[in-house]
């Protein structure tokens, strides 16, 4: 593959930016990667593991001369980073982000983007429960979706170029309106995470009564919830604070369905339960057929990273 952006600046050096660094290098998609992170500790680790060609101390310094700037920090930190880098961006450069919420990021970052710089919001729908500079790997985006959410009046060439980058990193790309993106992600990712956090919290309460049994017998289903509920607390706090409306809408519907199932259990309505679970099993089959998961029985426990 050939170079798509001569110089790439990664702002934030966690799971997503780290995986991008590995994928960019693997594909020969850039000549030069400059990275930075908030803490000296993360920057030191990035230098130690040679994650980027150069690690610098500030975001302002990192974006100097960059053709592509990737904001890979928690959603709540995007505005401050955009403000800091704005005066240092090269004319003709593209600024993108990888935030899990799109409308709030567009509102936070958009006003800081100077004339002559393109802003193309994006969201790679791939992740693990791990975070930090050591957690990235080149294959993270393979056969996963990356949603591009172009802004009104944005430059279509800049969108196409970013699309080609994500495809070269292995992702399938689709474009979407920000509001629709936020609703889709509330259903597929945000509400499920909140439910997992809640379930693990409930089990933790119970553990005080049943002692070690919750952990001992966790393979019965609980274990998969704990994996999701181990996701980064800062990232997820920011997701919920910034995708309030869509998440609350989905949680409202979830609560209604839960009540319906609760009633079916109480009244002994086995037909309803059976029909419901038959339907949900078919949904799982659809996800496997779409190549978004495997049918392997050890679901969720791939090779150790
Ligand atoms: P991560 O591994 O926790 O890394 C976050 C990076 O942002 C770290 O380098 C951190 O620096 C930096 N950072 C944290 N707070 C900051 C602040 N207030 N100001 C400046 N920098 C700050 O996170 P990640 O999983 O890569 O997530 C990054 C973005 O990708 C988030 O917007 C998230 O919503 C999105 N995303 C995540 C996933 C996922 O599953 N993880 C999937 C898709 C999209 P220090 O290390 O120095 O603290």
């Amino acid at each position: 593959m050939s170079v798509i952006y001569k110089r790439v600046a990664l702002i934030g050096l966690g799971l997503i930016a780290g995986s991008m660094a590995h994928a960019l290098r693997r594909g020969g998609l850039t000549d030069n990667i400059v990275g930075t992170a908030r803490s000296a500790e993360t920057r030191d680790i990035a230098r130690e593991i040679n994650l980027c060609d150069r690690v610098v101390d500030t975001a302002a310094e990192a974006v100097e001369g960059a053709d592509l700037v990737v904001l890979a920090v928690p959603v709540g930190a995007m505005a401050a980073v955009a403000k800091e880098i704005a005066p240092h961006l090269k004319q003709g450069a593209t600024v993108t982000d990888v935030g899990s919420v799109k409308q709030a990021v567009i509102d936070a970052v958009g006003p800081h983007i100077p004339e002559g710089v393109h802003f193309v919001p994006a969201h790679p729908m791939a992740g693990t429960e791990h975070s930090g500079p050591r957690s990235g790997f080149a294959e993270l985006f393979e056969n996963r979706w990356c949603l591009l959410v172009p802004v009104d009046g944005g430059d279509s060439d800049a969108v196409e170029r970013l699309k080609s980058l994500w495809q070269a990193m292995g992702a399938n790309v689709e474009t979407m309106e920000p509001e629709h993106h936020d609703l889709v992600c509330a259903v597929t990712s945000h509400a499920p995470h909140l439910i997992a956090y809640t379930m693990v919290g409930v089990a933790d309460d119970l553990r005080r009564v049943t002692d070690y049994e919750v952990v001992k017998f966790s393979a019965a289903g609980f274990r998969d919830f704990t994996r999701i509920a181990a996701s980064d607390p800062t990232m997820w706090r920011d997701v919920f604070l910034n995708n309030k409306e869509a998440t609350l809408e989905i949680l409202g519907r979830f609560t209604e369905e839960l009540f319906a199932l609760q009633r079916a259990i109480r009244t002994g309505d086995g037909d309803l339960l059976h029909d419901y679970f038959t339907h949900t099993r078919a949904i799982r089959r659809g996800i496997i057929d779409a190549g978004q998961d495997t049918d392997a029985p050890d679901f969720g426990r791939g090779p150790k990273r």
Side-chain angles (χ1 to χ4, degrees):
M1 276 185 263
S2 55
V3 168
I4 298 177
Y5 295 94
K6 270 181 92 62
R7 180 180 291 194
V8 175
L10 301 174
I11 315 299
L13 292 171
L15 171 71
I16 301 296
S19 297
M20 288 183 75
H22 291 298
L24 288 168
R25 278 185 169 164
R26 181 189 59 178
L29 307 174
T30 183
D31 283 341
N32 193 266
I33 304 172
V34 184
T36 190
R38 172 182 55 169
S39 68
E41 189 191 348
T42 297
R43 296 195 299 269
D44 285 346
I45 295 171
R47 287 185 186 108
E48 185 194 317
I49 63 173
N50 194 27
L51 190 60
C52 307
D53 297 301
R54 201 156 54 91
V55 175
V56 296
D57 290 346
T58 66
E61 203 182 330
V63 305
E64 295 280 0
D67 303 290
L68 177 70
V69 174
V70 183
L71 309 181
V73 298
V75 168
M78 296 277 182
V81 171
K83 188 173 177 209
E84 181 191 342
I85 62 172
H88 307 276
L89 293 165
K90 180 170 118 171
Q91 279 294 299
T94 292
V95 174
T96 187
D97 75 291
V98 294
S100 307
V101 178
K102 291 277 64 89
Q103 188 61 62
V105 170
I106 291 170
D107 294 345
V109 173
H112 296 291
I113 302 295
E115 197 70 34
V117 172
H118 311 297
F119 177 36
V120 187
H123 176 202
M125 297 188 71
T128 74
E129 67 278 27
H130 300 297
S131 51
R134 293 186 198 275
S135 60
F137 53 101
E139 300 80 20
L140 179 66
F141 309 115
E142 268 168 26
N143 202 26
R144 295 285 168 254
W145 285 100
C146 180
L147 301 178
L148 298 188
V149 183
V151 292
D152 288 341
D155 183 83
S156 56
D157 289 347
V159 175
E160 283 305 310
R161 200 164 161 199
L162 187 67
K163 182 178 174 183
S164 68
L165 185 82
W166 277 107
Q167 286 172 332
M169 291 193 291
N172 306 315
V173 179
E174 203 161 292
T175 51
M176 224 179 238
E177 294 287 319
E179 202 179 321
H180 188 61
H181 166 278
D182 289 355
L183 186 63
V184 166
C185 289
V187 178
T188 57
S189 169
H190 305 169
H193 272 78
L194 197 76
I195 292 161
Y197 280 124
T198 314
M199 195 56 230
V200 175
V202 167
D204 186 50
D205 277 350
L206 209 67
R207 192 171 150 191
R208 281 168 210 139
V209 184
T210 59
D211 204 21
Y212 67 102
E213 286 185 315
V214 170
V215 173
K216 186 175 169 190
F217 301 118
S218 66
F222 181 65
R223 188 169 61 184
D224 289 331
F225 277 108
T226 63
R227 189 179 60 77
I228 298 175
S231 300
D232 188 71
T234 306
M235 170 189 156
W236 284 96
R237 176 201 63 194
D238 285 5
V239 166
F240 294 121
L241 294 181
N242 289 281
N243 196 17
K244 216 183 245 183
E245 239 171 76
T247 310
L248 291 177
E249 158 76 18
I250 300 305
L251 287 173
R253 294 196 196 188
F254 172 81
T255 314
E256 284 173 22
E257 298 279 303
L258 191 64
F259 277 142
L261 294 179
Q262 222 174 319
R263 193 181 319 111
I265 294 170
R266 191 180 316 108
T267 59
D269 190 346
D271 288 347
L272 188 147
L273 294 173
H274 192 269
D275 287 353
Y276 202 97
F277 302 155
T278 303
H279 178 63
T280 54
R281 180 178 247 190
I283 292 171
R284 168 81 184 147
R285 175 51 48 204
I287 288 171
I288 292 163
D289 291 348
Q292 293 300 300
D293 205 352
T294 69
D295 205 7
D298 68 341
F299 162 59
R301 281 167 293 285
K304 267 194 170 170
R305 299 206 182 271

